[in-house]
Amino acid sequence: MALRMWASSTANALKISCASKSLLSLSRCFATVLDGLKYAESHEWVKHEGSVATIGITDHAQDHLGEVVFVELPESGGSVSKGKGFGAVESVKATSDVNSPISGEIVEVNSKLSEAPGLINSSPYEEGWMIKVKPRSPSELESLMGSKEYTKFCEEEDASH
Amino acid sequence: MRGPRKLEVWKMGFVNYLDALKLQEKLVYNRKLCRIPDTLLSLQHPPTYTIGKRRTDHNLLIPSSELKNIGAELHYTQRGGDITFHGPRQAILYPIISLREIGLGARNYVEKLELTMIELSSLYGVKACAGQKGETGVWVGERKIGAIGVRISHGITSHGLAFNIDPDLKYFKHIVPCGITDKEVTSLSRETSTMLPSEEVMHEQLISCFARLFGYNTVVWKENPSILSDLEEIE
């Protein structure tokens, strides 16, 4: 898949972009939102590829959390339910629950996060993935937000204070 | 900008740690369902050590069997942060508020909690500041005067802050406070030459600082708050 670089140094930088490893090293004025992923209002993302869905937290979420120092994850083989917590991240003395956007069976857990919790900050959509799930009902994915909707959602939420 | 924001304050006096925890769980559940407004618990605990989600037991320096002898309890919690002590003459605030409604993330929320304690300190001429990176809390020089440990669930906060007005600092000798080995713990009474008013006044000042920093237009004091409240039970 061809990856494209987006110039984001201008003030009205586009907030939607294609997956790109190098994007995250550019200006942090706007949190990165990736096309092709689905998003929950609690700021988790889902990437559905074939029979497996990968789940993590968004760039917006990691930015608002601060430096992640600890990640609590479930065991592989367990199950997750849409909207329910499956783990937690700790940053700045705050433990924040992470909720699953979909229901299903956990097939893999990112064990790198116990040694390197900061991957969630530096690479929230790639190396900072949290769990991989076999989705129980594909229709749940449809009810999640796309990248444009999620971007707007974040703008509105940030404008409330 | 949102409409006027209301904060309901419960002044609870001394509350046992587990009772406060159960009450917070009920409040979080009800707040999540929007059945109650943003709520702030103002209280003190009897001598209690608490450990955060990471279960850093190694920072308790006496055997747990010894705790009864010094008149203290130990509890494990789901909050962030390391081990700490709560006791008489330490002012505690447990805000049960919706961060999503005010567009705050964990980092900004904790910064405002730090500012709340910094402001209160400044009322007494004490220059406190937020910790360096990784040392969340409030410091006077190298001495820690206020601690923070928070839980955020579906965007609703629980646990909160503990500010040392004049607690018995000897209790802190039995732990590595917040997991930081080479720093002291202090209190407002140690740091200021100003005479401190009654605890009731100080708690009210702390609450005012919180309400102002978090932009509440209306503060309502709950009449006769009780841990056996008539809140909806968790289903």
Side-chain angles (χ1 to χ4, degrees):
Chain A
M1 180 171 152
L3 299 175
R4 271 189 247 145
M5 278 283 290
W6 287 78
S8 61
S9 53
T10 52
N12 55 351
L14 292 169
K15 290 167 209 168
I16 302 165
S17 54
C18 293
S20 165
K21 282 193 168 73
S22 40
L23 245 176
L24 294 170
S25 62
L26 296 176
S27 164
R28 307 294 302 179
C29 293
F30 302 110
T32 309
V33 178
L34 301 187
D35 256 349
L37 303 186
K38 294 294 237 176
Y39 299 88
E41 287 190 0
S42 43
H43 303 285
E44 293 89 10
W45 56 265
V46 187
K47 187 169 172 184
H48 191 201
E49 290 170 310
S51 61
V52 169
T54 309
I55 294 167
I57 66 170
T58 65
D59 189 32
H60 179 274
Q62 70 76 22
D63 184 54
H64 281 55
L65 278 175
E67 190 191 334
V68 176
V69 298
F70 179 72
V71 182
E72 185 189 64
L73 290 174
E75 299 273 317
S76 193
S79 66
V80 290
S81 300
K82 182 180 168 79
K84 295 254 150 59
F86 68 81
V89 292
E90 182 175 337
S91 63
V92 295
K93 305 283 175 88
T95 309
S96 302
D97 290 359
V98 185
N99 302 304
S100 183
I102 58 170
S103 311
E105 187 201 327
I106 304 170
V107 297
E108 203 183 330
V109 164
N110 188 353
S111 51
K112 280 201 193 134
L113 292 179
S114 54
E115 292 297 312
L119 286 174
I120 289 188
N121 297 114
S122 59
S123 183
Y125 297 110
E126 290 167 26
E127 289 178 87
W129 67 272
M130 296 177 80
I131 59 173
K132 289 188 199 272
V133 164
K134 208 165 107 182
R136 189 171 305 140
S137 105
S139 60
E140 283 179 339
L141 280 152
E142 266 134 62
S143 62
L144 296 171
M145 292 182 273
S147 50
K148 283 196 177 79
E149 249 186 290
Y150 177 64
T151 303
K152 187 154 183 277
F153 176 78
C154 288
E155 279 170 12
E156 285 169 3
E157 204 178 63
D158 283 350
S160 7
H161 72 280
Chain B
M1 288 294 286
R2 304 257 161 183
R5 294 181 45 236
K6 173 179 149 187
L7 178 70
E8 189 175 88
V9 179
W10 297 32
K11 286 171 70 179
M12 310 212 51
F14 268 91
V15 184
N16 173 273
Y17 193 81
L18 279 182
D19 289 338
L21 210 53
K22 284 185 201 137
L23 174 61
Q24 287 179 79
E25 282 166 15
K26 264 204 241 176
L27 288 169
V28 167
Y29 177 75
N30 280 269
R31 184 66 190 88
K32 188 178 147 196
L33 298 172
C34 300
R35 287 178 187 157
I36 57 171
D38 282 350
T39 303
L40 180 67
L41 304 182
S42 166
L43 50 99
Q44 298 186 66
H45 289 308
T48 311
Y49 292 100
T50 66
I51 291 182
K53 202 176 175 65
R54 276 178 286 152
R55 299 189 72 113
T56 48
D57 293 67
H58 53 276
N59 287 326
L60 178 66
L61 303 175
I62 60 169
S64 47
S65 47
E66 282 290 300
L67 291 170
K68 218 168 169 183
N69 297 343
I70 60 168
E73 292 179 9
L74 171 69
H75 293 289
Y76 292 89
T77 75
Q78 296 295 309
R79 62 156 172 78
D82 207 299
I83 191 168
T84 195
F85 170 78
H86 298 307
R89 293 180 302 287
Q90 183 194 69
I92 288 185
L93 291 186
Y94 291 149
I96 314 293
I97 70 176
S98 167
L99 292 184
R100 288 183 200 165
E101 274 185 25
I102 48 176
L104 284 184
R107 193 157 50 104
N108 291 338
Y109 174 59
V110 163
E111 273 170 17
K112 282 184 175 332
L113 290 182
E114 287 172 334
L115 279 170
T116 301
M117 293 190 274
I118 289 168
E119 258 199 32
L120 179 65
S121 303
S122 73
L123 293 179
Y124 296 90
V126 175
K127 274 209 183 103
C129 61
Q132 299 300 311
K133 186 177 143 127
E135 291 185 346
T136 297
V138 174
W139 301 78
V140 182
E142 300 275 288
R143 303 173 298 288
K144 193 165 191 179
I145 196 171
I148 291 174
V150 165
R151 181 177 182 190
I152 301 168
S153 180
H154 294 275
I156 311 290
T157 63
S158 59
H159 297 271
L161 65 83
F163 182 77
N164 292 341
I165 297 177
D166 184 27
D168 182 350
L169 296 179
K170 287 203 290 293
Y171 278 102
F172 285 95
K173 299 252 184 284
H174 300 299
I175 57 174
V176 181
C178 311
I180 301 169
T181 42
D182 54 350
K183 303 262 164 74
E184 266 181 67
V185 177
T186 187
S187 64
L188 189 65
S189 76
R190 277 212 180 172
E191 298 292 334
T192 186
S193 45
T194 314
M195 209 172 86
L196 298 180
S198 71
E199 271 182 26
E200 170 140 15
V201 168
M202 300 222 55
H203 285 232
E204 282 182 13
Q205 287 173 338
L206 187 61
I207 290 165
S208 297
C209 292
F210 176 90
R212 193 171 48 251
L213 278 162
F214 280 85
Y216 290 101
N217 310 97
T218 312
V219 176
V220 169
W221 304 83
K222 185 169 168 74
E223 295 296 313
N224 303 316
S226 162
I227 51 167
L228 307 165
S229 80
D230 53 2
L231 288 165
E232 303 267 357
E233 288 296 331
I234 297 171
E235 278 148 37

